[in-house]
Amino acid sequence: MIEYIFDPFQYNFMIRALVVSVLVGAMCPIIGAYVIARGRSFMGDALAHSVLPGMVVAFMLGFSPLAAAVPAGVGIAALMGFISRKTGVSEDTSVGIVFAGMFALGLTMLATAEGLTVNVEDLLLGQVLGVTTMDVYVSLGLAAMVIAALYAIHRIAVYATFDPVSAEVVGIPVNMVDYALLTLLALVIVIGIQAAGIVLVMAMLITPAAAGHLLARRFVSGMIVGAVIGSISAIAGLYLSYYMNIPSGPAMALIATGVFALAAAYKRRAI
């Protein structure tokens, strides 16, 4: 039994994958708790798809995809909010416009760029086993930034999330809080894309956070429970990927979904 636990980590690439997987499993539900409370689950999916052009540019220039995905994600998050506020269209509409346009642009760039050996499947489904040491350091740095920023704005972010009208009345800059949370969401999605891929990062962002929401009575407690569930799902998915030769992203998402189903069943029995 012991050898099954430690055998994968005789390889350096598995150690790097473990670090990034735990980061993804913990960070996604923490920011996902705000996303669920604000009813913006579609925003996370849209951001994940919209950073594709930035990642393709990085591949074309020979950089790590993180180098371009971070500013691209932050810029796109700001663009979504800007379109909604300045044009009068609903937020869902602005998100859908940017989502479709940027993802289409990314696929077009990927199809027409010469000399690229990028596997589209790796981008869509994730390839955590291929992360470099630099990717690990960048992911750790981004995670530290997100945690520090959330700690700094948590109180006003919760106020603006659950009662934006009152928050505006007492002088909280609700619009600035919205942009800040969108920026942090973009950073977390960039970290998550490495492990879960563009398509499945949504599952890691929402599903563990939703399970935490079902099992905890307080908002912060739900964030912590969601982070634990996400981390366990990420680690278990990594083991499944290693021993069963399946993509790591889908494995993580399936385990997270299974845990949510158990949490929902428990909640139903407890009522």
Side-chain angles (χ1 to χ4, degrees), residues 25-71:
M27 294 305 304
C28 282
I30 288 176
I31 195 70
Y34 295 95
V35 173
I36 290 175
R38 288 168 165 257
R40 293 180 174 176
S41 298
F42 181 48
M43 176 72 78
D45 192 28
L47 275 174
H49 286 78
S50 298
V51 299
L52 182 58
M55 297 177 71
V56 174
V57 169
F59 284 123
M60 293 171 64
L61 297 177
F63 298 148
S64 166
L66 285 178
V70 171

mmCIF file of all heavy atoms in Angstrom, residues 25-71:
data_model
loop_
_atom_site.group_PDB
_atom_site.id
_atom_site.type_symbol
_atom_site.label_atom_id
_atom_site.label_comp_id
_atom_site.label_asym_id
_atom_site.label_seq_id
_atom_site.Cartn_x
_atom_site.Cartn_y
_atom_site.Cartn_z
ATOM 1 N N GLY A 25 -6.518 22.939 -6.518
ATOM 2 C CA GLY A 25 -7.614 22.408 -5.706
ATOM 3 C C GLY A 25 -8.013 23.324 -4.569
ATOM 4 O O GLY A 25 -9.191 23.386 -4.200
ATOM 5 N N ALA A 26 -7.052 24.063 -4.018
ATOM 6 C CA ALA A 26 -7.352 24.960 -2.897
ATOM 7 C C ALA A 26 -7.835 26.327 -3.364
ATOM 8 O O ALA A 26 -8.804 26.875 -2.830
ATOM 9 C CB ALA A 26 -6.115 25.108 -2.012
ATOM 10 N N MET A 27 -7.154 26.892 -4.376
ATOM 11 C CA MET A 27 -7.443 28.267 -4.787
ATOM 12 C C MET A 27 -8.774 28.398 -5.520
ATOM 13 O O MET A 27 -9.506 29.374 -5.327
ATOM 14 C CB MET A 27 -6.317 28.802 -5.668
ATOM 15 C CG MET A 27 -4.986 28.958 -4.963
ATOM 16 S SD MET A 27 -5.109 29.991 -3.484
ATOM 17 C CE MET A 27 -5.814 31.474 -4.164
ATOM 18 N N CYS A 28 -9.075 27.440 -6.382
ATOM 19 C CA CYS A 28 -10.309 27.543 -7.171
ATOM 20 C C CYS A 28 -11.565 27.628 -6.291
ATOM 21 O O CYS A 28 -12.408 28.512 -6.505
ATOM 22 C CB CYS A 28 -10.410 26.371 -8.147
ATOM 23 S SG CYS A 28 -9.379 26.551 -9.615
ATOM 24 N N PRO A 29 -11.739 26.763 -5.276
ATOM 25 C CA PRO A 29 -12.952 26.878 -4.450
ATOM 26 C C PRO A 29 -12.986 28.141 -3.598
ATOM 27 O O PRO A 29 -14.070 28.645 -3.288
ATOM 28 C CB PRO A 29 -12.887 25.623 -3.566
ATOM 29 C CG PRO A 29 -11.993 24.683 -4.282
ATOM 30 C CD PRO A 29 -10.977 25.536 -4.976
ATOM 31 N N ILE A 30 -11.810 28.657 -3.205
ATOM 32 C CA ILE A 30 -11.798 29.864 -2.370
ATOM 33 C C ILE A 30 -12.398 31.034 -3.141
ATOM 34 O O ILE A 30 -13.283 31.741 -2.644
ATOM 35 C CB ILE A 30 -10.358 30.175 -1.904
ATOM 36 C CG1 ILE A 30 -9.925 29.152 -0.851
ATOM 37 C CG2 ILE A 30 -10.279 31.589 -1.333
ATOM 38 C CD1 ILE A 30 -8.483 29.306 -0.401
ATOM 39 N N ILE A 31 -11.920 31.261 -4.361
ATOM 40 C CA ILE A 31 -12.498 32.338 -5.168
ATOM 41 C C ILE A 31 -13.861 31.920 -5.704
ATOM 42 O O ILE A 31 -14.747 32.757 -5.931
ATOM 43 C CB ILE A 31 -11.542 32.733 -6.321
ATOM 44 C CG1 ILE A 31 -11.948 34.073 -6.938
ATOM 45 C CG2 ILE A 31 -11.488 31.657 -7.378
ATOM 46 C CD1 ILE A 31 -11.726 35.247 -6.062
ATOM 47 N N GLY A 32 -14.044 30.602 -5.874
ATOM 48 C CA GLY A 32 -15.327 30.103 -6.360
ATOM 49 C C GLY A 32 -16.469 30.387 -5.403
ATOM 50 O O GLY A 32 -17.623 30.523 -5.826
ATOM 51 N N ALA A 33 -16.165 30.506 -4.097
ATOM 52 C CA ALA A 33 -17.205 30.821 -3.122
ATOM 53 C C ALA A 33 -17.819 32.191 -3.409
ATOM 54 O O ALA A 33 -19.042 32.379 -3.321
ATOM 55 C CB ALA A 33 -16.618 30.792 -1.706
ATOM 56 N N TYR A 34 -16.981 33.156 -3.789
ATOM 57 C CA TYR A 34 -17.485 34.479 -4.159
ATOM 58 C C TYR A 34 -18.290 34.400 -5.462
ATOM 59 O O TYR A 34 -19.308 35.075 -5.614
ATOM 60 C CB TYR A 34 -16.337 35.470 -4.338
ATOM 61 C CG TYR A 34 -15.556 35.785 -3.087
ATOM 62 C CD1 TYR A 34 -14.387 35.103 -2.786
ATOM 63 C CD2 TYR A 34 -15.985 36.774 -2.210
ATOM 64 C CE1 TYR A 34 -13.661 35.394 -1.645
ATOM 65 C CE2 TYR A 34 -15.264 37.077 -1.069
ATOM 66 C CZ TYR A 34 -14.104 36.378 -0.795
ATOM 67 O OH TYR A 34 -13.394 36.673 0.342
ATOM 68 N N VAL A 35 -17.788 33.597 -6.398
ATOM 69 C CA VAL A 35 -18.452 33.468 -7.695
ATOM 70 C C VAL A 35 -19.871 32.914 -7.513
ATOM 71 O O VAL A 35 -20.835 33.424 -8.093
ATOM 72 C CB VAL A 35 -17.635 32.555 -8.634
ATOM 73 C CG1 VAL A 35 -18.402 32.282 -9.929
ATOM 74 C CG2 VAL A 35 -16.280 33.191 -8.952
ATOM 75 N N ILE A 36 -20.002 31.877 -6.678
ATOM 76 C CA ILE A 36 -21.315 31.268 -6.441
ATOM 77 C C ILE A 36 -22.239 32.248 -5.733
ATOM 78 O O ILE A 36 -23.413 32.407 -6.098
ATOM 79 C CB ILE A 36 -21.153 29.976 -5.611
ATOM 80 C CG1 ILE A 36 -20.492 28.890 -6.451
ATOM 81 C CG2 ILE A 36 -22.516 29.489 -5.108
ATOM 82 C CD1 ILE A 36 -20.180 27.630 -5.678
ATOM 83 N N ALA A 37 -21.708 32.920 -4.713
ATOM 84 C CA ALA A 37 -22.536 33.867 -3.951
ATOM 85 C C ALA A 37 -23.042 35.001 -4.828
ATOM 86 O O ALA A 37 -24.130 35.539 -4.603
ATOM 87 C CB ALA A 37 -21.739 34.416 -2.772
ATOM 88 N N ARG A 38 -22.261 35.372 -5.834
ATOM 89 C CA ARG A 38 -22.654 36.464 -6.723
ATOM 90 C C ARG A 38 -23.448 35.976 -7.940
ATOM 91 O O ARG A 38 -23.855 36.779 -8.774
ATOM 92 C CB ARG A 38 -21.395 37.204 -7.214
ATOM 93 C CG ARG A 38 -20.745 38.029 -6.131
ATOM 94 C CD ARG A 38 -19.362 38.526 -6.521
ATOM 95 N NE ARG A 38 -18.952 39.586 -5.605
ATOM 96 C CZ ARG A 38 -18.964 40.884 -5.892
ATOM 97 N NH1 ARG A 38 -19.326 41.282 -7.103
ATOM 98 N NH2 ARG A 38 -18.615 41.785 -5.007
ATOM 99 N N GLY A 39 -23.636 34.672 -8.062
ATOM 100 C CA GLY A 39 -24.374 34.141 -9.194
ATOM 101 C C GLY A 39 -23.661 34.343 -10.522
ATOM 102 O O GLY A 39 -24.308 34.598 -11.544
ATOM 103 N N ARG A 40 -22.323 34.210 -10.524
ATOM 104 C CA ARG A 40 -21.544 34.471 -11.732
ATOM 105 C C ARG A 40 -20.737 33.253 -12.183
ATOM 106 O O ARG A 40 -19.593 33.364 -12.613
ATOM 107 C CB ARG A 40 -20.591 35.650 -11.501
ATOM 108 C CG ARG A 40 -21.298 36.979 -11.313
ATOM 109 C CD ARG A 40 -20.312 38.090 -11.088
ATOM 110 N NE ARG A 40 -20.961 39.391 -11.046
ATOM 111 C CZ ARG A 40 -20.333 40.529 -10.779
ATOM 112 N NH1 ARG A 40 -19.034 40.521 -10.525
ATOM 113 N NH2 ARG A 40 -20.996 41.678 -10.755
ATOM 114 N N SER A 41 -21.327 32.100 -12.085
ATOM 115 C CA SER A 41 -20.615 30.882 -12.467
ATOM 116 C C SER A 41 -20.184 30.914 -13.934
ATOM 117 O O SER A 41 -19.102 30.438 -14.296
ATOM 118 C CB SER A 41 -21.503 29.661 -12.213
ATOM 119 O OG SER A 41 -21.818 29.544 -10.841
ATOM 120 N N PHE A 42 -21.036 31.482 -14.789
ATOM 121 C CA PHE A 42 -20.708 31.557 -16.221
ATOM 122 C C PHE A 42 -19.468 32.415 -16.465
ATOM 123 O O PHE A 42 -18.729 32.206 -17.429
ATOM 124 C CB PHE A 42 -21.906 32.130 -16.983
ATOM 125 C CG PHE A 42 -21.710 32.245 -18.467
ATOM 126 C CD1 PHE A 42 -21.203 31.184 -19.213
ATOM 127 C CD2 PHE A 42 -22.039 33.410 -19.139
ATOM 128 C CE1 PHE A 42 -21.025 31.287 -20.573
ATOM 129 C CE2 PHE A 42 -21.859 33.526 -20.508
ATOM 130 C CZ PHE A 42 -21.348 32.456 -21.229
ATOM 131 N N MET A 43 -19.213 33.392 -15.580
ATOM 132 C CA MET A 43 -18.057 34.272 -15.731
ATOM 133 C C MET A 43 -16.754 33.478 -15.692
ATOM 134 O O MET A 43 -15.824 33.738 -16.464
ATOM 135 C CB MET A 43 -18.058 35.318 -14.620
ATOM 136 C CG MET A 43 -16.854 36.250 -14.611
ATOM 137 S SD MET A 43 -16.882 37.426 -15.971
ATOM 138 C CE MET A 43 -18.082 38.600 -15.341
ATOM 139 N N GLY A 44 -16.674 32.508 -14.777
ATOM 140 C CA GLY A 44 -15.460 31.706 -14.679
ATOM 141 C C GLY A 44 -15.200 30.916 -15.943
ATOM 142 O O GLY A 44 -14.065 30.860 -16.440
ATOM 143 N N ASP A 45 -16.239 30.296 -16.483
ATOM 144 C CA ASP A 45 -16.100 29.529 -17.714
ATOM 145 C C ASP A 45 -15.677 30.436 -18.863
ATOM 146 O O ASP A 45 -14.811 30.086 -19.672
ATOM 147 C CB ASP A 45 -17.431 28.847 -18.036
ATOM 148 C CG ASP A 45 -17.301 27.807 -19.140
ATOM 149 O OD1 ASP A 45 -16.217 27.229 -19.283
ATOM 150 O OD2 ASP A 45 -18.287 27.595 -19.860
ATOM 151 N N ALA A 46 -16.274 31.618 -18.931
ATOM 152 C CA ALA A 46 -15.952 32.554 -20.007
ATOM 153 C C ALA A 46 -14.502 33.021 -19.930
ATOM 154 O O ALA A 46 -13.800 33.093 -20.945
ATOM 155 C CB ALA A 46 -16.894 33.753 -19.943
ATOM 156 N N LEU A 47 -14.034 33.329 -18.737
ATOM 157 C CA LEU A 47 -12.650 33.771 -18.579
ATOM 158 C C LEU A 47 -11.673 32.669 -18.976
ATOM 159 O O LEU A 47 -10.644 32.936 -19.598
ATOM 160 C CB LEU A 47 -12.401 34.189 -17.131
ATOM 161 C CG LEU A 47 -12.767 35.622 -16.745
ATOM 162 C CD1 LEU A 47 -12.595 35.831 -15.254
ATOM 163 C CD2 LEU A 47 -11.903 36.608 -17.516
ATOM 164 N N ALA A 48 -11.989 31.432 -18.600
ATOM 165 C CA ALA A 48 -11.106 30.317 -18.937
ATOM 166 C C ALA A 48 -10.934 30.183 -20.450
ATOM 167 O O ALA A 48 -9.833 29.914 -20.942
ATOM 168 C CB ALA A 48 -11.662 29.021 -18.346
ATOM 169 N N HIS A 49 -12.019 30.356 -21.190
ATOM 170 C CA HIS A 49 -11.940 30.254 -22.646
ATOM 171 C C HIS A 49 -11.320 31.506 -23.280
ATOM 172 O O HIS A 49 -10.652 31.419 -24.320
ATOM 173 C CB HIS A 49 -13.338 30.041 -23.238
ATOM 174 C CG HIS A 49 -13.876 28.658 -23.018
ATOM 175 N ND1 HIS A 49 -14.397 28.249 -21.820
ATOM 176 C CD2 HIS A 49 -13.974 27.592 -23.855
ATOM 177 C CE1 HIS A 49 -14.787 26.992 -21.914
ATOM 178 N NE2 HIS A 49 -14.555 26.569 -23.132
ATOM 179 N N SER A 50 -11.524 32.649 -22.651
ATOM 180 C CA SER A 50 -11.110 33.908 -23.268
ATOM 181 C C SER A 50 -9.609 34.166 -23.200
ATOM 182 O O SER A 50 -9.098 35.028 -23.925
ATOM 183 C CB SER A 50 -11.861 35.079 -22.610
ATOM 184 O OG SER A 50 -13.253 34.947 -22.806
ATOM 185 N N VAL A 51 -8.882 33.455 -22.334
ATOM 186 C CA VAL A 51 -7.434 33.670 -22.252
ATOM 187 C C VAL A 51 -6.675 32.895 -23.330
ATOM 188 O O VAL A 51 -5.459 33.015 -23.440
ATOM 189 C CB VAL A 51 -6.870 33.280 -20.868
ATOM 190 C CG1 VAL A 51 -7.494 34.130 -19.772
ATOM 191 C CG2 VAL A 51 -7.074 31.803 -20.581
ATOM 192 N N LEU A 52 -7.394 32.121 -24.140
ATOM 193 C CA LEU A 52 -6.728 31.314 -25.164
ATOM 194 C C LEU A 52 -5.850 32.139 -26.111
ATOM 195 O O LEU A 52 -4.714 31.739 -26.399
ATOM 196 C CB LEU A 52 -7.759 30.506 -25.954
ATOM 197 C CG LEU A 52 -7.198 29.570 -27.039
ATOM 198 C CD1 LEU A 52 -6.228 28.562 -26.434
ATOM 199 C CD2 LEU A 52 -8.327 28.855 -27.776
ATOM 200 N N PRO A 53 -6.302 33.305 -26.636
ATOM 201 C CA PRO A 53 -5.422 34.081 -27.519
ATOM 202 C C PRO A 53 -4.100 34.469 -26.858
ATOM 203 O O PRO A 53 -3.033 34.405 -27.492
ATOM 204 C CB PRO A 53 -6.256 35.319 -27.855
ATOM 205 C CG PRO A 53 -7.663 34.879 -27.692
ATOM 206 C CD PRO A 53 -7.640 33.928 -26.545
ATOM 207 N N GLY A 54 -4.151 34.856 -25.596
ATOM 208 C CA GLY A 54 -2.928 35.205 -24.888
ATOM 209 C C GLY A 54 -1.986 34.023 -24.770
ATOM 210 O O GLY A 54 -0.760 34.163 -24.925
ATOM 211 N N MET A 55 -2.535 32.839 -24.523
ATOM 212 C CA MET A 55 -1.704 31.643 -24.411
ATOM 213 C C MET A 55 -1.072 31.300 -25.755
ATOM 214 O O MET A 55 0.096 30.905 -25.824
ATOM 215 C CB MET A 55 -2.547 30.473 -23.894
ATOM 216 C CG MET A 55 -3.092 30.690 -22.496
ATOM 217 S SD MET A 55 -4.162 29.337 -21.925
ATOM 218 C CE MET A 55 -2.941 28.039 -21.681
ATOM 219 N N VAL A 56 -1.830 31.461 -26.842
ATOM 220 C CA VAL A 56 -1.291 31.169 -28.176
ATOM 221 C C VAL A 56 -0.150 32.128 -28.506
ATOM 222 O O VAL A 56 0.883 31.719 -29.056
ATOM 223 C CB VAL A 56 -2.403 31.254 -29.243
ATOM 224 C CG1 VAL A 56 -1.815 31.094 -30.645
ATOM 225 C CG2 VAL A 56 -3.466 30.188 -28.998
ATOM 226 N N VAL A 57 -0.314 33.407 -28.160
ATOM 227 C CA VAL A 57 0.753 34.390 -28.383
ATOM 228 C C VAL A 57 2.025 33.972 -27.643
ATOM 229 O O VAL A 57 3.139 34.059 -28.170
ATOM 230 C CB VAL A 57 0.302 35.799 -27.945
ATOM 231 C CG1 VAL A 57 1.487 36.760 -27.933
ATOM 232 C CG2 VAL A 57 -0.788 36.314 -28.872
ATOM 233 N N ALA A 58 1.862 33.507 -26.398
ATOM 234 C CA ALA A 58 3.019 33.063 -25.613
ATOM 235 C C ALA A 58 3.714 31.884 -26.287
ATOM 236 O O ALA A 58 4.951 31.842 -26.366
ATOM 237 C CB ALA A 58 2.568 32.686 -24.203
ATOM 238 N N PHE A 59 2.934 30.942 -26.797
ATOM 239 C CA PHE A 59 3.530 29.801 -27.493
ATOM 240 C C PHE A 59 4.283 30.254 -28.748
ATOM 241 O O PHE A 59 5.366 29.749 -29.059
ATOM 242 C CB PHE A 59 2.453 28.785 -27.880
ATOM 243 C CG PHE A 59 1.964 27.948 -26.733
ATOM 244 C CD1 PHE A 59 0.616 27.912 -26.402
ATOM 245 C CD2 PHE A 59 2.850 27.180 -25.995
ATOM 246 C CE1 PHE A 59 0.164 27.144 -25.342
ATOM 247 C CE2 PHE A 59 2.408 26.394 -24.935
ATOM 248 C CZ PHE A 59 1.069 26.381 -24.611
ATOM 249 N N MET A 60 3.729 31.211 -29.456
ATOM 250 C CA MET A 60 4.360 31.712 -30.683
ATOM 251 C C MET A 60 5.691 32.405 -30.375
ATOM 252 O O MET A 60 6.632 32.339 -31.166
ATOM 253 C CB MET A 60 3.410 32.668 -31.402
ATOM 254 C CG MET A 60 2.166 32.001 -31.967
ATOM 255 S SD MET A 60 0.927 33.188 -32.595
ATOM 256 C CE MET A 60 1.827 33.934 -33.950
ATOM 257 N N LEU A 61 5.766 33.068 -29.211
ATOM 258 C CA LEU A 61 6.979 33.795 -28.835
ATOM 259 C C LEU A 61 7.951 32.928 -28.042
ATOM 260 O O LEU A 61 9.044 33.383 -27.685
ATOM 261 C CB LEU A 61 6.614 35.032 -28.003
ATOM 262 C CG LEU A 61 5.761 36.087 -28.718
ATOM 263 C CD1 LEU A 61 5.399 37.217 -27.762
ATOM 264 C CD2 LEU A 61 6.512 36.631 -29.944
ATOM 265 N N GLY A 62 7.551 31.692 -27.764
ATOM 266 C CA GLY A 62 8.429 30.786 -27.037
ATOM 267 C C GLY A 62 8.432 30.985 -25.537
ATOM 268 O O GLY A 62 9.357 30.552 -24.847
ATOM 269 N N PHE A 63 7.385 31.646 -24.996
ATOM 270 C CA PHE A 63 7.297 31.877 -23.564
ATOM 271 C C PHE A 63 6.401 30.830 -22.914
ATOM 272 O O PHE A 63 5.676 30.087 -23.585
ATOM 273 C CB PHE A 63 6.724 33.267 -23.266
ATOM 274 C CG PHE A 63 7.567 34.396 -23.775
ATOM 275 C CD1 PHE A 63 6.976 35.577 -24.189
ATOM 276 C CD2 PHE A 63 8.946 34.281 -23.842
ATOM 277 C CE1 PHE A 63 7.743 36.634 -24.653
ATOM 278 C CE2 PHE A 63 9.729 35.324 -24.306
ATOM 279 C CZ PHE A 63 9.131 36.505 -24.723
ATOM 280 N N SER A 64 6.439 30.816 -21.585
ATOM 281 C CA SER A 64 5.466 30.021 -20.841
ATOM 282 C C SER A 64 4.084 30.618 -21.066
ATOM 283 O O SER A 64 3.940 31.845 -21.079
ATOM 284 C CB SER A 64 5.809 30.030 -19.343
ATOM 285 O OG SER A 64 4.717 29.548 -18.587
ATOM 286 N N PRO A 65 3.052 29.801 -21.238
ATOM 287 C CA PRO A 65 1.705 30.349 -21.443
ATOM 288 C C PRO A 65 1.230 31.214 -20.289
ATOM 289 O O PRO A 65 0.402 32.102 -20.477
ATOM 290 C CB PRO A 65 0.832 29.095 -21.589
ATOM 291 C CG PRO A 65 1.637 27.974 -21.039
ATOM 292 C CD PRO A 65 3.059 28.335 -21.286
ATOM 293 N N LEU A 66 1.773 30.981 -19.096
ATOM 294 C CA LEU A 66 1.402 31.816 -17.953
ATOM 295 C C LEU A 66 1.805 33.270 -18.161
ATOM 296 O O LEU A 66 1.148 34.185 -17.680
ATOM 297 C CB LEU A 66 2.064 31.285 -16.672
ATOM 298 C CG LEU A 66 1.473 30.019 -16.043
ATOM 299 C CD1 LEU A 66 2.288 29.627 -14.824
ATOM 300 C CD2 LEU A 66 0.026 30.220 -15.670
ATOM 301 N N ALA A 67 2.929 33.472 -18.885
ATOM 302 C CA ALA A 67 3.453 34.824 -19.066
ATOM 303 C C ALA A 67 2.460 35.729 -19.773
ATOM 304 O O ALA A 67 2.386 36.925 -19.500
ATOM 305 C CB ALA A 67 4.767 34.769 -19.850
ATOM 306 N N ALA A 68 1.684 35.170 -20.702
ATOM 307 C CA ALA A 68 0.700 35.964 -21.439
ATOM 308 C C ALA A 68 -0.708 35.782 -20.885
ATOM 309 O O ALA A 68 -1.542 36.680 -20.999
ATOM 310 C CB ALA A 68 0.723 35.589 -22.920
ATOM 311 N N ALA A 69 -0.987 34.620 -20.292
ATOM 312 C CA ALA A 69 -2.337 34.351 -19.811
ATOM 313 C C ALA A 69 -2.696 35.234 -18.616
ATOM 314 O O ALA A 69 -3.857 35.616 -18.455
ATOM 315 C CB ALA A 69 -2.479 32.873 -19.425
ATOM 316 N N VAL A 70 -1.711 35.578 -17.799
ATOM 317 C CA VAL A 70 -2.010 36.415 -16.623
ATOM 318 C C VAL A 70 -2.497 37.808 -17.042
ATOM 319 O O VAL A 70 -3.603 38.217 -16.670
ATOM 320 C CB VAL A 70 -0.787 36.516 -15.692
ATOM 321 C CG1 VAL A 70 -1.030 37.563 -14.612
ATOM 322 C CG2 VAL A 70 -0.497 35.168 -15.052
ATOM 323 N N PRO A 71 -1.709 38.582 -17.830
ATOM 324 C CA PRO A 71 -2.233 39.891 -18.245
ATOM 325 C C PRO A 71 -3.470 39.784 -19.126
ATOM 326 O O PRO A 71 -4.362 40.644 -19.060
ATOM 327 C CB PRO A 71 -1.058 40.522 -19.007
ATOM 328 C CG PRO A 71 -0.175 39.394 -19.388
ATOM 329 C CD PRO A 71 -0.339 38.372 -18.318
#
